[in-house]
């Protein structure tokens, strides 16, 4: 029995895709569903080797000479559940229910991010009564794990001059810029020597952490940087290992260093609600890095840049460039770290990458990079944004704009098609990436109508 009204196309498609497992890296079945949809409706389509699917729909009469419009959403969802819920995201259908006008899933994420966008495109493709230019409907994969599907797209798939990214929400808002990103890594090979000294562990914890796109401008403490700020005050120590952080794009909350020293360092134990620094004696180490390598490691991590670098001159309060030292690991005799560099400007990502590289070289380490994705820089002139603003104005609503320092697939497509005019749009949803995720059903319908009206005016 259906939870939603099957006579409403967006409801029908959302419920159908909710029956198909579609977590990141497991999009094969939902890609099969979208491909079969294209075949059943006799649409031209492309499915690449990552399972991205692009469906093409011809313009309705009178729109043949209008600019092609791209619609885009990602098929993968974040798979999170409550601990007491027995659920397998690789095999089970989501258990949908409606409460007080909101669509939810029992004990799990709902997948409204970005299931609403997938449903919108399927509904538009299936409706022969709508007026629109040529459409390119882009269903991507692996967005939630690094925009990997969109990075794999090829320019020759597209003719579009306008793009509506269906991975934004709020019903009356649109995004105007997103950051590009790059991962940079520094490796330093160290030499061990035998030691016979007391061994200590320095621990930094208690910090808030946060997402490096959303929180980097809030001056949150970075546990790795704090760790080395303390270490550089110490004399005659030899490092055994250093570790901290979890992911490149998360501000690290905890870090620790194990080292040896003939005398116990004089470190003030410090603790408050946001920071806890502790020193404790630990099991005796039999080997440690040489004094030379220890000094170079401390110099390296003390000097490496981190955090907010520049603010936008065009949009008040927007972070234009940042980098986050997010992860540090000691693996045998190699100390490795990982940065997430963010900016919509390629030149700024290059600049920050070069700073890391030069400091690394001075300390006899080496830097390498991967997973570079483009940003979408703010453009004051956007006819597409103006059209959406006018549609909302007719409803007595003032359009709101948002600027993001996080990465989105819009940036990837902008890098692929530099003259693309872009907006984002979607309904009201809350609790993204958590089992509390919910989608407002009235907003789901209203935003869809606005989207259809927008396409008809392009």
């Amino acid at each position: 029995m259906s939870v939603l009204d099957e006579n409403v196309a967006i409801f029908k498609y959302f419920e159908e895709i909710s029956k198909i497992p579609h977590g990141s890296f497991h999009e094969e079945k939902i890609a099969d569903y979208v491909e079969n949809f294209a075949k059943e409706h006799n649409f031209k389509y492309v499915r690449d080797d990552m399972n991205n699917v692009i469906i093409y729909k011809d313009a309705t009469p009178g729109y043949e000479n209008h600019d092609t419009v791209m619609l885009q959403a990602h098929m993968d969802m974040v798979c999170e559940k409550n601990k007491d819920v027995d659920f397998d995201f690789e095999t089970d259908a989501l258990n949908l229910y409606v409460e007080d006008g909101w669509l939810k899933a029992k004990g799990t994420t709902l997948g409204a991010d970005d299931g609403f966008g997938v449903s919108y495109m399927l509904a538009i493709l299936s409706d022969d009564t709508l007026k629109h230019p040529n459409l390119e409907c882009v269903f991507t994969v692996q967005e939630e794990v690094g925009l990997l599907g969109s990075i794999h797209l090829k320019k020759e798939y597209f003719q579009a001059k306008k793009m509506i990214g269906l991975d934004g929400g709020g019903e009356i808002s649109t995004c105007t810029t997103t950051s590009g990103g790059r991962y940079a890594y520094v490796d330093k090979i160290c030499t061990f020597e035998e030691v016979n000294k007391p061994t200590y562990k320095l621990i930094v914890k208690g910090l808030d952490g946060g997402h490096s796109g959303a929180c980097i401008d809030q001056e949150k403490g970075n546990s790795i940087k704090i760790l080395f700020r303390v270490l550089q005050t110490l004399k005659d120590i030899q490092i055994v290992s250093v570790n901290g952080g979890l992911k490149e794009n998360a501000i690290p909350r905890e870090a620790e260093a194990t080292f040896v020293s003939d005398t116990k360092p004089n470190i003030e134990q410090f603790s408050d609600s946001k920071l806890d620094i502790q020193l404790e004696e630990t099991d005796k180490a039999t080997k440690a890095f040489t004094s030379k390598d220890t000094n170079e490691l401390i110099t390296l991590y003390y000097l490496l840049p981190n955090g907010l670098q520049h603010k936008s001159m065009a949009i008040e309060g927007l972070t234009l460039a940042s980098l986050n030292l997010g992860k540090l690991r000691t693996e045998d005799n190699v100390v490795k770290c990982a940065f997430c560099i963010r900016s919509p400007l390629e030149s700024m990502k290059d600049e920050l990458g070069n700073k890391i590289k030069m400091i690394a070289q001075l300390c006899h380490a080496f830097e390498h990079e991967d997973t570079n994705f483009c940003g979408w820089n703010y453009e004051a002139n956007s006819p597409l944004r103006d059209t959406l603003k006018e549609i909302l104005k007719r409803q007595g609503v003032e359009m709101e704009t948002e600027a993001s320092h996080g990465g989105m697939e819009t940036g990837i497509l902008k890098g692929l098609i530099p003259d693309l005019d872009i907006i984002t749009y979607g309904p009201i949803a809350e609790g993204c990436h958590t089992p509390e995720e919910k989608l407002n059903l009235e907003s789901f319908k209203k935003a869809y109508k606005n989207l259809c009206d927008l396409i008809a005016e392009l």
Side-chain angles (χ1 to χ4, degrees), residues 212-258:
S212 68
C215 303
I216 202 71
D217 63 333
Q218 297 174 17
E219 302 291 343
K220 291 180 176 290
N222 181 305
S223 61
I224 298 171
K225 292 294 291 182
I226 293 172
L227 182 76
F228 281 91
R229 182 176 174 180
V230 176
L231 288 174
Q232 64 87 29
T233 68
L234 306 183
K235 305 296 183 183
D236 300 323
I237 69 169
Q238 291 177 252
I239 289 176
V240 177
S241 65
V242 284
N243 294 283
L246 296 174
K247 296 192 295 186
E248 294 91 332
N249 62 357
I251 300 171
R253 298 180 297 108
E254 300 181 357
E256 62 181 39
T258 302

Side-chain angles (χ1 to χ4, degrees), residues 154-407:
K154 294 179 171 58
K155 187 174 182 178
E156 55 262 33
Y157 295 157
F158 307 110
Q159 298 296 320
K161 299 296 184 184
K162 299 181 174 72
M163 174 187 176
I164 305 172
L166 300 172
D167 192 16
E171 191 185 300
I172 63 171
S173 63
T174 188
C175 195
T176 60
T177 178
T178 62
S179 184
R182 184 180 302 174
Y183 289 157
Y185 306 91
V186 176
D187 297 350
K188 179 169 174 57
I189 300 173
C190 299
T191 300
F192 278 117
E193 65 180 18
E194 292 184 359
V195 292
N196 183 23
K197 301 177 182 180
T199 306
Y200 302 92
K201 182 175 289 186
L202 177 65
I203 302 168
V204 176
K205 59 183 180 179
L207 297 167
D208 286 342
H211 191 280
S212 68
C215 303
I216 202 71
D217 63 333
Q218 297 174 17
E219 302 291 343
K220 291 180 176 290
N222 181 305
S223 61
I224 298 171
K225 292 294 291 182
I226 293 172
L227 182 76
F228 281 91
R229 182 176 174 180
V230 176
L231 288 174
Q232 64 87 29
T233 68
L234 306 183
K235 305 296 183 183
D236 300 323
I237 69 169
Q238 291 177 252
I239 289 176
V240 177
S241 65
V242 284
N243 294 283
L246 296 174
K247 296 192 295 186
E248 294 91 332
N249 62 357
I251 300 171
R253 298 180 297 108
E254 300 181 357
E256 62 181 39
T258 302
F259 60 90
V260 300
S261 177
D262 281 325
T263 57
K264 183 176 181 178
N266 183 19
I267 296 176
E268 180 180 356
Q269 309 292 303
F270 179 86
S271 181
D272 71 5
S273 61
K274 298 295 183 184
L275 177 61
D276 189 0
I277 299 175
Q278 301 292 332
L279 179 70
E280 59 187 40
E281 194 161 355
T282 188
D283 294 339
K284 204 169 189 179
T286 59
K287 60 181 182 178
F289 297 145
T290 64
S291 295
K292 178 178 180 294
D293 283 337
T294 292
N295 291 335
E296 287 184 344
L297 270 176
I298 292 173
T299 300
L300 173 64
Y301 285 99
Y302 187 70
L303 293 179
L304 281 170
N306 179 75
L308 170 68
Q309 301 294 302
H310 297 285
K311 287 281 191 178
S312 171
M313 300 300 291
I315 302 175
E316 184 177 357
L318 175 66
T319 301
L320 183 67
S322 74
L323 70 172
N324 178 62
L325 174 51
K327 185 167 67 172
L328 177 68
R329 294 288 183 272
T330 301
E331 300 178 4
D332 295 324
N333 68 325
V334 183
V335 178
K336 303 180 177 183
C337 78
F339 282 89
C340 180
I341 303 172
R342 294 182 186 272
S343 178
L345 305 176
E346 286 298 308
S347 60
M348 186 58 66
K349 288 189 289 181
D350 290 341
E351 171 75 5
L352 295 176
N354 285 336
K355 283 186 177 181
I356 295 171
K357 181 180 293 185
M358 293 179 71
I359 293 171
Q361 289 173 344
L362 290 172
C363 297
H364 301 103
F366 65 94
E367 182 259 10
H368 55 104
E369 300 174 357
D370 68 10
T371 317
N372 183 45
F373 57 90
C374 296
W376 161 32
N377 203 18
Y378 174 75
E379 295 180 359
N381 181 36
S382 170
L384 184 53
R385 190 167 68 233
D386 291 342
T387 305
L388 176 60
K389 182 177 182 179
E390 180 59 31
I391 287 172
L392 294 174
K393 187 176 180 180
R394 291 174 205 157
Q395 302 171 14
V397 175
E398 189 67 28
M399 184 182 74
E400 298 177 356
T401 58
E402 299 177 355
S404 173
H405 190 53

Side-chain angles (χ1 to χ4, degrees), residues 6 64 75 79 82 96 127 223 245 248 346 349 388 405 445 458:
E6 291 184 331
E64 295 90 347
M75 294 185 286
C79 298
N82 292 325
L96 303 182
D127 190 342
S223 61
E248 294 91 332
E346 286 298 308
K349 288 189 289 181
L388 176 60
H405 190 53
K445 290 190 292 185
L458 298 179

